[in-house]
Amino acid sequence: MKIQKICILGGGTSGWMTAAGLSNKYKDLDISIELVESDQIGTVGVGEATLPHIRFFNQALGIDERDFMRATRATFKLGIEFCDWGALGDSYIHPFGDYGEPINGVDFHHFWLRLLQNGHNFRLDDYSFPILAAESGKFQIPGSDNTKIGSNFGYAYQFDSTLYAKFLRSYCEDNGVVRTEGKVVDAALYPETGFVKSIELENGTQIEADLFIDCSGFRGVLIEQQLKTGYDDWSQWLPCNRAVAVPCEAAGPSLPYTRATARPAGWQWRIPLQHRTGNGHVYWNEFISDDEATHQLMSTLEGPALADPKQLYFKTGKRRKLWNKNVVAIGLSGGFLEPLESTSIHLIQEGITALIELFPDANFEGSDAVEYNRRMDLNFDRVRDFLLLHYVATQRDDSEMWRYFRNMTLPESLQEKIEAWNARGYLLRYEQGVFLPPSWVAVMAGQNLIPSAYDRRANTLSYEDVLRKTEKIRHDSHAAVANTPDHGAYLDQYGAKAAFEPLTVPSAPAQF
Ligand SMILES: Cc1cc2nc3c(=O)[nH]c(=O)nc-3n(C[C@H](O)[C@H](O)[C@H](O)COP(=O)(O)OP(=O)(O)OC[C@H]3O[C@@H](n4cnc5c(N)ncnc54)[C@H](O)[C@@H]3O)c2cc1C
């Protein structure tokens, strides 16, 4: 028997992305999709920085990039700048792209390590076009020849995720998705299987479906409140458990990168959109009060606040099974890892892709769910390790929080990865996982983990050849940036800039 009806519970970013992905794939297959959301509950209302993969999601939906950028007031994103992570005063950019290019099949960073060992002091960043472009506030869409410096990088967006959900809603409704407004107050389960039969709205309406997608946010209305799936709590590794977020007026030109600045009890984000800048302070409440965290945030805004600060509470980790019985949890209902590397929307996308590939029949073969959970568990594990790397690859010990990370037992997978890097710049390859070797190089080298040796094959070239080849890459990268337009001007020229009224500062801003 085939699935005939899908019910998506939740109309945040995850709900509408899921509805868009499924309605695009199944529109001619006689499957009806109904999305239920509650205006009374609302959405989490944060989530502005993304990874390059979102472009492929939009492309698969047939969405025009310019329409999308205007609708969501998006800017381009070349990477994330990390300030004060390795040591106070340090900064580096994690770019969406490789450093240099392999020489004779050997990764570029080994040649850079050889230069360092010979007393040169070149920044690895000088061999990365996206880093140099970000530092200069420049951007243009990569050209079609991806072997050419200036075209061999990825990019993502910084956008208003509430506007994205709204944009996708109209896409979905055009594709036949039915939206129902109402608060879900209960669910009926089949007594013999424990599968969800229907959900019940506050007004008494019952909605039946074969497959339920739980996109209800942190509540996990079906996956947890009904199915009691359980949660793997990862607070021992990623203990930050609160955030306060506030938008402010933008100051200066819009920048093509996100900034994450380490703080004594957490870190702070700054995400420049077309019409405003998003800001937030993620922190561990063990070492800072909500008031103090809010004060730190408000006192470092680059312009006047445009709303009252919004407080958020979370526990890092993931649901024990993201697919349980006939319920698949996508988005915050499935788990949450702090937004340090903009991974949540990406994990939503991974969940949708895996569901489409493993789409079940109505008799729900157990193997579909097992494989889905295996894939998603790996994705979550990899992100957890990568985030944790930022906290442990550091010389900081100037506060309780930083000292906590010094004494931590790491997950084995991360421990092995760091050891292989430290020994000779080797990057253990993972099965699954969004972050490829250049991302690991960016964070490890950026936070001053410099391997004691490098790949011996980097010695097969004479030192003069290494100098000549690396210098050409450095020179070409700088030259390509010199020919790249300013990001703000490019948004306009590309047709991505929205026409909008400037936002106003509320008349009675909160006092701190
Ligand atoms: C501090 C913070 C910063 C973040 N920054 C980023 C970032 O920069 N980049 C990134 O990729 N991600 C980020 N995220 C994550 C991102 O916000 C979420 O992944 C994304 O918004 C998806 O949320 P969601 O749709 O799963 O849940 P929500 O937005 O909470 O939506 C839940 C939906 O379920 C509905 N609902 C809930 N209960 C019921 C009920 N009983 N009946 C009916 N409807 C119900 C709600 O009305 C709502 O429509 C951040 C998250 C936090 C907490």
Side-chain angles (χ1 to χ4, degrees):
M1 241 190 29
K2 301 284 176 213
I3 298 257
Q4 287 171 334
K5 169 86 187 271
I6 302 171
C7 175
I8 299 171
L9 170 48
T13 316
S14 65
W16 286 113
M17 281 181 75
T18 305
L22 298 185
S23 66
N24 174 271
K25 294 293 170 215
Y26 299 129
K27 73 175 160 235
D28 301 323
L29 296 180
D30 218 13
I31 300 179
S32 66
I33 303 176
E34 181 167 356
L35 183 146
V36 181
E37 65 177 318
S38 159
D39 291 340
Q40 192 187 328
I41 293 176
T43 64
V44 71
V46 280
E48 298 170 330
T50 61
L51 293 176
H53 311 68
I54 193 168
R55 286 169 31 226
F56 310 120
F57 183 77
N58 285 347
Q59 279 163 17
L61 298 181
I63 287 174
D64 178 82
E65 185 174 50
R66 293 170 176 85
D67 290 347
F68 152 78
M69 290 188 74
R70 283 193 301 266
T72 61
R73 297 174 180 187
T75 53
F76 291 106
K77 176 181 172 190
L78 287 163
I80 303 179
E81 181 186 32
F82 289 91
C83 301
D84 295 337
W85 285 85
L88 276 168
D90 278 6
S91 77
Y92 67 95
I93 291 180
H94 165 197
F96 297 139
D98 293 358
Y99 292 95
E101 57 197 24
I103 302 177
N104 294 350
V106 179
D107 284 343
F108 180 83
H109 68 268
H110 293 288
F111 296 92
W112 173 70
L113 289 171
R114 187 174 167 194
L115 294 178
L116 281 194
Q117 289 202 355
N118 280 277
H120 283 281
N121 205 10
F122 297 124
R123 295 188 323 155
L124 185 57
D125 300 8
D126 277 325
Y127 306 94
S128 160
F129 171 83
I131 293 181
L132 295 171
E135 285 176 344
S136 310
K138 297 188 162 193
F139 182 86
Q140 70 185 354
I141 302 269
S144 53
D145 181 359
N146 65 5
T147 59
K148 234 172 116 192
I149 287 179
S151 292
N152 56 356
F153 65 95
Y155 70 92
Y157 312 104
Q158 305 166 129
F159 66 11
D160 184 326
S161 60
T162 308
L163 294 177
Y164 185 47
K166 206 165 140 196
F167 180 76
L168 290 180
R169 174 177 162 186
S170 76
Y171 173 94
C172 292
E173 288 179 332
D174 289 349
N175 267 352
V177 174
V178 173
R179 172 188 182 266
T180 301
E181 145 63 28
K183 184 175 169 188
V184 174
V185 289
D186 204 359
L189 309 186
Y190 289 103
E192 56 293 0
T193 59
F195 278 40
V196 176
K197 178 171 187 282
S198 60
I199 53 174
E200 183 183 331
L201 306 189
E202 211 165 28
N203 64 7
T205 308
Q206 312 271 339
I207 300 170
E208 288 198 16
D210 304 307
L211 172 66
F212 290 85
I213 320 275
D214 187 342
C215 297
S216 64
F218 288 127
R219 287 175 179 76
V221 170
L222 296 178
I223 197 78
E224 197 53 51
Q225 291 178 5
Q226 290 297 329
L227 298 188
K228 315 265 181 275
T229 303
Y231 195 74
D232 289 329
D233 179 350
W234 286 346
S235 305
Q236 82 268 33
W237 290 309
L238 296 171
C240 286
N241 55 0
R242 294 190 179 185
V244 54
V246 70
C248 75
E249 272 183 30
S254 78
L255 294 170
Y257 61 90
T258 294
R259 177 179 291 156
T261 305
R263 297 283 182 221
W267 61 277
Q268 195 171 319
W269 79 74
R270 185 202 63 174
I271 305 176
L273 314 189
Q274 289 187 23
H275 57 313
R276 61 170 167 79
T277 300
N279 308 277
H281 186 179
V282 174
Y283 57 96
W284 185 1
N285 75 330
E286 180 98 358
F287 298 126
I288 190 168
S289 68
D290 294 342
D291 282 352
E292 179 55 19
T294 306
H295 175 75
Q296 274 187 24
L297 176 69
M298 301 304 281
S299 59
T300 49
L301 297 183
E302 63 188 18
L306 292 167
D308 290 339
K310 179 174 182 173
Q311 186 80 51
L312 297 131
Y313 304 90
F314 55 83
K315 187 191 281 177
T316 49
K318 55 165 264 301
R319 214 56 73 191
R320 289 220 170 100
K321 290 179 184 170
L322 280 98
W323 180 336
N324 190 6
K325 301 185 190 288
N326 61 338
V327 174
V328 179
I330 295 184
L332 298 173
S333 64
F336 180 64
L337 300 174
E338 57 182 82
L340 184 57
E341 285 279 0
S342 320
T343 43
S344 288
I345 291 174
H346 175 74
L347 288 169
I348 292 172
Q349 204 179 322
E350 288 281 350
I352 298 167
T353 308
L355 176 60
I356 289 170
E357 282 176 26
L358 295 163
F359 197 74
D361 280 338
N363 58 356
F364 285 89
E365 289 295 338
S367 59
D368 298 326
V370 169
E371 175 57 11
Y372 183 91
N373 289 331
R374 191 188 74 84
R375 268 168 73 167
M376 292 308 293
D377 284 357
L378 279 174
N379 275 307
F380 269 82
D381 286 357
R382 304 314 187 210
V383 171
R384 176 204 62 205
D385 284 3
F386 191 60
L387 298 185
L388 181 50
L389 174 69
H390 298 66
Y391 286 99
V392 296
T394 181
Q395 296 75 59
R396 285 191 69 163
D397 62 357
D398 52 286
S399 69
E400 293 281 358
M401 184 191 81
W402 293 104
R403 286 192 284 278
Y404 171 87
F405 286 106
R406 296 213 139 201
N407 300 316
M408 171 182 282
T409 306
L410 299 183
E412 216 173 295
S413 44
L414 177 59
Q415 184 67 39
E416 287 169 356
K417 195 127 184 168
I418 293 176
E419 281 169 11
W421 167 260
N422 281 343
R424 57 181 182 89
Y426 184 71
L427 291 155
L428 294 179
R429 301 304 200 258
Y430 273 160
E431 181 205 353
Q432 219 78 40
V434 53
F435 294 106
L436 298 177
S439 294
W440 288 81
V441 173
V443 178
M444 295 199 272
Q447 297 193 193
N448 311 318
L449 279 195
I450 303 299
S452 47
Y454 52 83
D455 190 318
R456 285 277 293 279
R457 291 171 299 165
N459 285 339
T460 53
L461 250 64
S462 73
Y463 192 61
E464 289 66 37
D465 276 353
V466 173
L467 273 178
R468 196 172 40 77
K469 283 181 190 277
T470 54
E471 179 51 26
K472 177 163 169 29
I473 293 171
R474 201 180 71 86
H475 172 270
D476 291 353
S477 304
H478 280 270
V481 170
N483 288 324
T484 302
D486 283 336
H487 175 237
Y490 188 74
L491 281 172
D492 225 355
Q493 170 193 332
Y494 185 63
K497 205 143 186 182
F500 50 82
E501 294 297 313
L503 299 175
T504 49
V505 185
S507 49
Q511 299 296 309
F512 295 96

